[in-house]
C-alpha cells in the first residue's frame, strides 16, 4: 500500500478545516435586511412618540353638541372649558371637586350648545363681566361697591380676579348665567357659586372689560360667546 506523505496529509487537513467563504451577493443581501429592520423599528418608534406628544399637547377635545363624555360623574369628566368669544379665547379650569353639581350642569349645557351665541349683557370695569340670556343683572350698584371697597376687608374673604361663577338659587336653561370677575371680590360666594377660574386668556377678559357701556353697564357694541369646547387638558 502506498504511503501518503505527511506534507500531503497536512494540506488535506487545512482544506477540510478552512471556513467557507460567503459570496458578495449574500453579504449585500444580509446587510439590506438588517438596514430594513432598523429602519422599520425607528419609524415605528417615531410614529408612536409623535402620537403620544400630540395627544398630550391637545388633550381630549369635545365640542359642544357632542355626547362623548356620557355620564359626567365618570372619571373622564373634562377639567377645562375654552370659551371662544368675539374677542378671543378664554380657557377656564373647572372646580370639579368643590362644585361638582354646578360643573355637571355646566358641562351638560355645553354639550347641548346652550352657550352658543350667548351675549355679554353687562360689564362693570374692575369688577365683573356677565354673560347670559337673562337680561336682569340684579343690583349693579352692589357689585360696584364690592369692587371698590374690597381692599378694606379681611384678605381671607377675598376672591381673586378671573374667577368663574354662576348665580345662586334655582336655575333653568335660561337662568344659567356666567360671571367672570376682573378684580378680587370679597364675599363673592354671597352672590354667585364659584366653579372655575381663568387659566389662559386673561388679556381677553380685560379686553372685554374695556368695551364702552351705557349707564346700565350694557355694552354699546355686540360682544359675546361664539361657542364653548370641553377639554381634559390645556
Amino acid at each position: 500500500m502506498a504511503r501518503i506523505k505527511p506534507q500531503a496529509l497536512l494540506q488535506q487537513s487545512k482544506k477540510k478545516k478552512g471556513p467557507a467563504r460567503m459570496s458578495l451577493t449574500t453579504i449585500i443581501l444580509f446587510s439590506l435586511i438588517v438596514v430594513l429592520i432598523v429602519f422599520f423599528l425607528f419609524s415605528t418608534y417615531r410614529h408612536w412618540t409623535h402620537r403620544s406628544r400630540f395627544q398630550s399637547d391637545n388633550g381630549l377635545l369635545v365640542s359642544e353638541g357632542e355626547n362623548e363624555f356620557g355620564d359626567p360623574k365618570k372619571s373622564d369628566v373634562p377639567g377645562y372649558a375654552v370659551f371662544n368669544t368675539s374677542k378671543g379665547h378664554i380657557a377656564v379650569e373647572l372646580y370639579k371637586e368643590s362644585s361638582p353639581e354646578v360643573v355637571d350642569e355646566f358641562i351638560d349645557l355645553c354639550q347641548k350648545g346652550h352657550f352658543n351665541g350667548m351675549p355679554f349683557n353687562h360689564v362693570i370695569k374692575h369688577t365683573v363681566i356677565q354673560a347670559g340670556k337673562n337680561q336682569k343683572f340684579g343690583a349693579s350698584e352692589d357689585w360696584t361697591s364690592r369692587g371698590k371697597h374690597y381692599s378694606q376687608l379681611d384678605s381671607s374673604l377675598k376672591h381673586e380676579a378671573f374667577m368663574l361663577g354662576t348665580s345662586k338659587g334655582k336655575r333653568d336653561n335660561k337662568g344659567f348665567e356666567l360671571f367672570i370677575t376682573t378684580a378680587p371680590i370679597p364675599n363673592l360666594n354671597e352672590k354667585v357659586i364659584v366653579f372655575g377660574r381663568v387659566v389662559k386668556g386673561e388679556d381677553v377678559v380685560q379686553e372685554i372689560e374695556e368695551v364702552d357701556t351705557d349707564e346700565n353697564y350694557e355694552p354699546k357694541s355686540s360682544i359675546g360667546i361664539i361657542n364653548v369646547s370641553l377639554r381634559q387638558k390645556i
Side-chain angles (χ1 to χ4, degrees), residues 7-195:
Q7 187 175 2
L9 289 172
L10 181 61
Q11 290 178 353
Q12 290 179 2
S13 175
K14 288 182 178 181
K15 289 181 181 180
K16 290 181 181 180
K17 294 181 180 180
R21 294 183 178 179
M22 296 178 63
S23 65
L24 180 61
T25 303
T26 303
I27 294 174
I28 294 174
L29 182 61
F30 179 77
S31 300
L32 288 174
I33 292 174
V34 172
V35 170
L36 288 174
I37 292 174
V38 172
F39 178 77
F40 174 77
L41 293 175
F42 179 73
S43 300
T44 304
Y45 171 78
R46 287 197 62 186
H47 169 75
W48 287 106
T49 302
H50 177 74
R51 182 175 178 181
S52 299
R53 186 179 304 155
F54 177 82
Q55 291 177 344
S56 175
D57 292 341
N58 291 276
L60 180 61
L61 173 63
V62 177
S63 298
E64 291 184 344
E66 297 178 354
N67 294 316
E68 296 183 11
F69 289 104
D71 184 2
K73 295 183 179 180
K74 293 182 179 180
S75 59
D76 59 351
V77 174
Y80 299 86
V82 179
F83 293 89
N84 179 21
T85 75
S86 49
K87 293 291 187 180
H89 291 83
I90 302 171
V92 176
E93 179 185 5
L94 302 176
Y95 291 163
K96 297 182 289 184
E97 295 183 359
S98 59
S99 305
E101 294 182 359
V102 177
V103 170
D104 289 348
E105 185 178 358
F106 171 77
I107 291 173
D108 182 62
L109 291 174
C110 283
Q111 294 172 342
K112 294 177 180 178
H114 171 74
F115 301 103
N116 290 352
M118 176 177 285
F120 287 101
N121 290 328
H122 299 90
V123 174
I124 301 180
K125 292 182 180 180
H126 310 301
T127 306
V128 68
I129 61 176
Q130 176 257 349
K133 296 182 179 179
N134 190 343
Q135 294 293 330
K136 295 181 180 180
F137 186 51
S140 56
E141 296 81 4
D142 186 33
W143 277 97
T144 307
S145 63
R146 287 170 182 271
K148 289 180 178 179
H149 302 293
Y150 71 88
S151 60
Q152 302 175 5
L153 300 181
D154 185 356
S155 59
S156 64
L157 299 177
K158 296 178 185 177
H159 285 269
E160 296 298 326
F162 307 111
M163 307 300 291
L164 174 68
T166 187
S167 56
K168 285 189 172 183
K170 186 177 181 180
R171 296 178 301 277
D172 52 22
N173 287 342
K174 291 184 179 181
F176 198 105
E177 300 174 288
L178 297 175
F179 297 90
I180 300 178
T181 62
T182 59
I185 304 296
N187 299 330
L188 183 62
N189 285 337
E190 291 182 3
K191 296 188 70 66
V192 302
I193 300 174
V194 176
F195 67 95

Side-chain angles (χ1 to χ4, degrees), residues 209-229:
E209 181 188 23
E210 293 300 323
V211 300
D212 292 333
T213 60
D214 59 19
E215 63 276 7
N216 296 317
Y217 303 101
E218 296 180 6
K220 293 181 178 180
S221 59
S222 178
I223 182 173
I225 299 170
I226 299 173
N227 54 53
V228 184
S229 297

